[in-house]
């Protein structure tokens, strides 16, 4: 951790020494694509009708075929075009064919995973019965690996009290190793399907496939939607450039592109363009303010800044250094403007009181962590996480998401207020994944505590053991999310799904380190794939 003296007040300020932004914003502004042309949109609409015809004939097909088609559509990020058709197919399958998919381990696991993934409560009993039979067999055929992979994936849809699902995961893991599928296992264990962002993987899944109607539609859809994402990114970059903060806030991260990627991972669908722009701005502000609290501000300055946010009053920042003043003004102006845009677009009353409340909660949580650092307090893991799920920015992002997704703002606020547990556990995953990815660098800088350090000190264990414990906490939160999602009202599941997507994006961003702080690894590859390079189509 380096320190620098502020030229105005002599206060020694820390710096995280973040790497400079790697993206050429002028180049991004110049991106063009042929897929904005109407002929591609017309072809995509024609293909959608062909797919609807295929789905309309579902009643004549066997249950396994239906499940595999729906699974393929999920992987190709096509499900959002056929929500009603998929819902009717699964509801019919569940009610009229309760034993559907129970003939073998592969189809039973697929049935279990797809139905639960789409919000239906189904029993894992068939998997348990068939797994018991499998354990008694000497499995020599490599094709059994297909069933083991499906069981492994299905096991991530388990609930808190389903300990046999954990046994199924262990069973599948051991047998995948027997089949020499270690490469597949290592890949999916880090980010199984249920924890993954479908849109981030869709391009890879489309490539190399036979160009069926589904795959042609998926390729066209990807490229057409990518054009829209590029245009939205350009707009956000113009906003960022007009702020002129890069030259003033030298202590913080310039990560606009990565913030937009996060927003795309939460909601990629064309109809959510405004949400992506609002969410990107919120994430950019989260990063800036997080750095103010973590590395830049003194305890007194942070107290004043927190008070100013709580009161939403610029008068409170008059005595603060210029850089921190700028941070407040950017937050103040951006959120006020966002409120006006939401009112105009949604035809609703001001949501500013709700936005102010979550930003205040976020800043208060950051201030708690800053006070721990400045006073040398070592929190217990429980104390850390009770505050950390809020400092993760999860609740703040969840409100922005629900407002952006919903047509009815009153309903959005209702869902936010009545989904505290699922928001809490999604936020905990953000916090824990963040800590797993950033704790090494933060320890080297001497930053505030992470869950890993808290566990190491509290239990007197090694870093490796602490990381193992944190991984288990992540799994526990996913189990709680699974149960809460399935038990949520059917009408609310579609919007709640986008809140849970924040945990999925966090899993990707921090899977191999700090995907925000260090841009030139998986995050860079994903930006290129999702936002810049179209999918080659014949």
């Amino acid at each position: 951790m380096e320190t620098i003296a502020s030229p105005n007040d002599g206060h020694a300020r820390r710096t995280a020494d973040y790497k400079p932004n790697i993206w050429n914003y002028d180049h991004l502004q110049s991106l063009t694509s042929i897929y904005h042309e109407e002929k591609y949109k017309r072809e995509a609409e024609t293909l959608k009708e062909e797919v609807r015809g295929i789905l309309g004939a579902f009643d004549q097909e066997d249950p396994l075929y239906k499940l595999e088609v729906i699974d393929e559509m999920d992987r190709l990020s096509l499900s959002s075009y056929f929500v009603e058709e998929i819902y009717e197919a699964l509801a019919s399958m569940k009610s009229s064919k309760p034993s559907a998919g129970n003939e073998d381990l592969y189809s039973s696991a697929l049935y279990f995973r797809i139905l639960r993934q789409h919000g239906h409560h189904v029993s894992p009993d068939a998997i348990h019965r068939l797994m018991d039979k499998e354990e008694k067999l000497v499995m020599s055929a490599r094709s059994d690996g297909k069933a083991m992979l499906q069981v492994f994936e299905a096991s991530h849809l388990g609930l808190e009290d389903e300990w046999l699902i954990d046994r199924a995961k262990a069973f599948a893991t051991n047998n995948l190793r027997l089949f020499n599928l270690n490469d597949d296992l290592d890949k999916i264990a880090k980010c199984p399907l249920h924890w993954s962002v479908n849109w981030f993987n869709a391009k890879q899944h489309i490539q190399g496939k036979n160009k069926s109607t589904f795959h042609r539609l998926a390729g066209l859809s990807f490229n057409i939607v990518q054009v829209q994402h590029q245009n939205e990114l350009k707009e956000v970059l113009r906003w960022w450039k007009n702020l002129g903060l890069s030259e003033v806030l030298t202590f913080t991260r310039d990560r606009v592109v990565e913030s937009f990627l996060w927003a795309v991972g939460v909601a990629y669908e064309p109809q959510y363009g405004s949400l992506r722009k609002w969410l990107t701005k919120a994430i950019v502000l989260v990063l800036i303010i997080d750095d103010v609290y973590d590395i830049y501000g003194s305890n007194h300055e942070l107290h004043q800044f927190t008070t100013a946010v709580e009161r939403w009053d610029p008068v409170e920042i008059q005595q603060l250094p210029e850089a921190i003043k700028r941070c407040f003004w950017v937050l103040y102006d951006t959120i006020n403007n966002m409120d006006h845009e939401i009112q105009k677009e949604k035809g609703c009353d001001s949501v500013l009181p709700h936005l102010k409340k979550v930003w205040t909660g976020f800043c208060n949580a950051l201030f708690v962590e800053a006070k721990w650092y400045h006073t040398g307090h070592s929190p217990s893991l429980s104390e850390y996480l009770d505050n950390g799920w809020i400092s993760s920015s999860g609740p703040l992002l969840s409100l922005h998401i629900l407002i952006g997704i919903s047509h009815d703002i009153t309903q959005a606020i209702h869902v936010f207020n009545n989904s505290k547990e699922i928001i809490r556990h999604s936020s905990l995953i953000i916090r824990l994944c963040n800590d797993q990815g950033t704790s090494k660098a933060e320890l080297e800088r001497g930053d505030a505590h992470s869950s890993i350090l808290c566990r190491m000190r509290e239990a007197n264990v090694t870093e490796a053991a602490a990381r193992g414990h944190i991984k288990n906490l992540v799994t526990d939160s996913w189990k709680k999310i699974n149960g809460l999602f399935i038990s949520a009202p059917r009408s609310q599941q579609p919007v709640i799904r986008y809140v849970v997507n924040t945990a999925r994006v966090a899993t990707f961003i921090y899977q191999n380190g700090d995907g925000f702080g260090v841009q030139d690894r998986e995050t860079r590859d994903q930006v290129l794939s999702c936002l810049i390079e179209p999918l080659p189509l014949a």
Side-chain angles (χ1 to χ4, degrees):
M1 169 65 67
E2 295 180 6
T3 59
I4 54 175
S6 166
N8 296 324
D9 57 18
H11 173 69
R13 302 191 184 277
R14 299 181 295 154
T15 172
D17 197 26
Y18 291 120
K19 293 184 178 181
N21 165 54
I22 65 172
W23 301 107
N24 183 322
Y25 291 162
D26 289 336
H27 172 68
L28 295 178
Q29 290 286 1
S30 70
L31 290 175
T32 58
S33 171
I34 62 171
Y35 290 97
H36 73 277
E37 297 176 13
E38 281 299 319
K39 65 177 181 179
Y40 295 109
K41 296 177 184 177
R42 286 195 299 270
E43 183 184 355
E45 291 303 316
T46 300
L47 290 171
K48 286 179 190 176
E49 290 308 310
E50 290 184 27
V51 171
R52 284 195 178 90
I54 295 171
L55 298 180
F58 255 0
D59 287 343
Q60 289 77 46
E61 304 293 346
D62 68 271
L64 180 57
Y65 172 78
K66 295 179 187 179
L67 290 169
E68 289 181 328
V69 168
I70 293 170
D71 185 30
E72 187 73 353
M73 292 174 73
D74 285 340
R75 292 171 187 249
L76 293 170
S77 289
L78 291 178
S79 300
S80 62
Y81 296 129
F82 310 102
V83 173
E84 292 183 10
E85 292 87 348
I86 291 173
Y87 173 75
E88 289 175 5
L90 293 177
S92 173
M93 193 182 303
K94 184 170 183 283
S95 61
S96 63
K97 297 179 183 291
S99 61
N102 289 354
E103 297 81 10
D104 60 76
L105 192 55
Y106 166 76
S107 54
S108 293
L110 181 62
Y111 176 82
F112 174 82
R113 179 172 68 81
I114 297 298
L115 268 290
R116 282 208 173 177
Q117 201 169 282
H118 285 266
H120 296 275
H121 192 283
V122 292
S123 169
D125 289 349
I127 296 176
H128 299 153
R129 287 196 305 270
L130 289 161
M131 191 181 71
D132 288 340
K133 293 179 183 179
E134 290 282 351
E135 282 189 294
K136 297 172 184 175
L137 300 176
V138 178
M139 292 179 290
S140 57
R142 184 178 173 85
S143 60
D144 286 337
K146 182 180 178 182
M148 293 302 105
L149 280 170
Q150 199 57 248
V151 171
F152 185 86
E153 291 287 9
S155 70
H156 291 84
L157 278 294
L159 311 183
E160 282 184 273
D161 57 350
E162 294 177 337
W163 63 270
L164 285 173
I165 288 292
D166 293 331
R167 178 171 158 247
K169 181 190 290 186
F171 170 68
T173 301
N174 291 336
N175 281 286
L176 285 170
R177 292 199 174 98
L178 288 176
F179 295 131
N180 294 318
L181 293 177
N182 288 331
D183 289 344
D184 289 330
L185 182 60
D186 290 343
K187 182 179 179 181
I188 65 173
K190 186 171 287 185
C191 203
L193 283 173
H194 184 54
W195 298 3
S196 299
V197 180
N198 278 346
W199 186 252
F200 288 178
N201 298 325
K203 190 176 185 180
Q204 184 178 1
H205 194 69
I206 298 166
Q207 288 173 320
K209 297 282 185 177
N210 294 326
K211 291 300 179 282
S212 66
T213 300
F214 288 102
H215 292 90
R216 176 65 181 177
L217 174 58
L220 280 172
S221 173
F222 185 92
N223 288 346
I224 291 168
V225 173
Q226 186 186 69
V227 172
Q228 181 176 336
H229 291 169
Q230 288 175 352
N231 291 334
E232 293 162 3
L233 175 59
K234 291 174 185 178
E235 184 177 332
V236 172
L237 288 173
R238 287 192 292 271
W239 164 80
W240 175 247
K241 183 177 180 181
N242 289 337
L243 291 178
L245 290 181
S246 297
E247 300 77 19
V248 180
L249 305 184
T250 56
F251 61 88
T252 193
R253 293 159 283 184
D254 180 351
R255 299 294 186 264
V256 182
V257 176
E258 289 74 19
S259 298
F260 183 74
L261 180 70
W262 184 297
V264 168
V266 168
Y268 73 87
E269 295 91 338
Q271 64 267 34
Y272 298 131
S274 293
L275 164 65
R276 283 187 290 276
K277 288 180 280 189
W278 295 332
L279 190 58
T280 302
K281 292 176 182 180
I283 295 168
V284 169
L285 294 172
V286 162
L287 294 176
I288 291 172
I289 293 171
D290 184 60
D291 287 338
V292 169
Y293 280 87
D294 263 7
I295 62 176
Y296 192 76
S298 68
N299 196 55
H300 176 67
E301 291 164 351
L302 297 178
H303 174 73
Q304 285 184 282
F305 186 90
T306 307
T307 300
V309 173
E310 195 165 33
R311 297 177 180 173
W312 210 245
D313 187 357
V315 172
E316 300 291 338
I317 64 167
Q318 290 181 356
Q319 304 304 315
L320 290 176
E322 190 59 33
I324 302 181
K325 282 183 182 178
R326 287 291 298 274
C327 291
F328 177 84
W329 275 112
V330 170
L331 172 65
Y332 184 82
D333 290 341
T334 301
I335 299 304
N336 284 336
N337 289 337
M338 194 181 295
D339 176 49
H340 293 312
E341 290 173 8
I342 291 167
Q343 290 182 62
K344 183 178 179 180
E345 182 168 314
K346 307 284 185 177
C348 62
D349 295 332
S350 172
V351 295
L352 187 59
H354 304 288
L355 295 175
K356 284 160 54 178
K357 186 175 180 179
V358 291
W359 280 101
T360 298
F362 174 62
C363 290
N364 274 317
L366 292 180
F367 189 39
V368 168
E369 292 177 350
K371 286 189 287 187
W372 288 343
Y373 172 81
H374 289 294
T375 61
H377 174 64
S378 295
S380 66
L381 180 58
S382 176
E383 183 184 8
Y384 173 82
L385 292 179
D386 282 345
N387 183 73
W389 74 276
I390 302 173
S391 71
S392 75
S393 77
L396 182 159
L397 300 181
S398 296
L399 179 64
H400 287 74
I401 290 165
L402 290 170
I403 287 173
I405 290 289
S406 304
H407 297 294
D408 184 339
I409 296 301
T410 301
Q411 180 67 9
I413 302 303
H414 174 77
V415 173
F416 179 77
N417 290 331
N418 288 275
S419 304
K420 291 299 184 187
E421 278 302 292
I422 205 164
I423 291 172
R424 181 174 182 271
H425 286 288
S426 297
S427 302
L428 273 175
I429 291 172
I430 297 173
R431 175 79 280 149
L432 295 170
C433 287
N434 182 309
D435 287 354
Q436 286 178 314
T438 64
S439 64
K440 183 178 179 181
E442 288 173 344
L443 281 170
E444 291 171 354
R445 292 198 301 262
D447 278 1
H449 299 281
S450 73
S451 55
I452 294 170
L453 180 58
C454 290
R455 176 64 180 176
M456 289 170 65
R457 289 180 173 173
E458 185 175 79
N460 193 26
V461 295
T462 63
E463 181 181 348
R467 286 183 176 275
H469 181 75
I470 298 308
K471 279 182 66 176
N472 290 337
L473 292 182
V474 169
T475 300
D476 290 345
S477 278
W478 272 113
K479 289 179 181 179
K480 290 184 173 71
I481 287 172
N482 294 340
L484 291 163
F485 182 75
I486 289 171
S487 62
R490 170 63 61 175
S491 62
Q492 294 181 12
Q493 284 180 347
V495 293
I496 292 173
R497 188 183 301 277
Y498 291 98
V499 170
V500 179
N501 281 348
T502 60
R504 296 187 169 103
V505 180
T507 300
F508 166 78
I509 290 288
Y510 299 111
Q511 62 182 324
N512 292 311
D514 184 359
F516 264 124
V518 182
Q519 303 166 283
D520 56 2
R521 296 196 299 240
E522 289 82 2
T523 309
R524 173 184 177 275
D525 294 342
Q526 197 65 65
V527 167
L528 291 171
S529 177
C530 269
L531 303 179
I532 297 177
E533 299 168 350
L535 184 69
L537 298 178

